[in-house]
Amino acid sequence: MADLIAIGFDQPTKAFDMRARLAELQTEYLIDMEDVVVVTHEDNGKVKLHQASNLTAAGAVGGTFWGMLIGMLFLNPLPGAAVGAGTGALSGYMTDLGVSDDFMKSVGESLKPGHAAQFVLVRRVTGDKVIERLKDFAGAGHIIQTSLSRTSEEELGALLEETA
């Protein structure tokens, strides 16, 4: 079962920096994330979701490959690739993996303009090592919502809200 962690930031750059650090920790197998998204509330009032992976592009690439392969069977690879790319892109666009986009947008609406939030869906984590590696973000944010245990939430909250 995955845990959801939503963290608010006064500065969007801090949210993007933390996402980069978490991605680095994932390559070291200290954390296994299902999804990580930064949500910004722009100064013009718009809420933007900054997904870590582009499912539309991935779907188009996969669809192109399969469409061309099937098209080769019928001696018509180019139209097969085009149809496959379109179908793959559409299915990638329609796919919503991880945290619900509607939920993230509604939280983003509640942020002040110029602020950001980060949503992380964590499958597995080595908590003590990850907390140690996130010390640079002391005082940078606050917890909006989590599904962590009370002690884990308090530990993360203490890190984020302590004065640097």
Side-chain angles (χ1 to χ4, degrees), residues 5-8 18 127 130-132 134-144 146 148-164:
I5 304 167
I7 302 170
M18 184 179 273
V130 170
I131 290 289
E132 181 64 34
L134 293 178
K135 292 268 188 208
D136 297 353
F137 297 97
H142 62 279
I143 294 176
I144 297 174
T146 75
L148 295 171
S149 68
R150 186 174 309 279
T151 55
S152 296
E153 183 174 342
E154 288 170 358
E155 199 174 333
L156 179 61
L159 167 74
L160 290 172
E161 294 170 9
E162 81 181 25
T163 54

Side-chain angles (χ1 to χ4, degrees), residues 7-88:
I7 302 170
F9 294 91
D10 295 342
Q11 301 171 359
T13 55
K14 289 289 187 183
F16 288 108
D17 290 346
M18 184 179 273
R19 181 174 75 177
R21 176 74 51 84
L22 290 171
E24 179 183 304
L25 295 174
Q26 183 159 299
T27 63
E28 297 174 18
Y29 301 101
L30 295 175
I31 188 169
D32 182 16
M33 298 179 294
E34 186 172 322
D35 198 9
V36 58
V37 179
V38 173
V39 177
T40 56
H41 192 142
E42 305 292 321
D43 290 329
N44 62 10
K46 291 187 178 182
V47 174
K48 291 179 82 176
L49 302 181
H50 304 272
Q51 305 278 355
S53 59
N54 186 342
L55 294 175
T56 303
V61 169
T64 301
F65 171 75
W66 288 108
M68 189 166 50
L69 187 64
I70 292 169
M72 286 172 62
L73 293 174
F74 296 103
L75 301 174
N76 220 350
L78 291 178
V83 170
T87 305

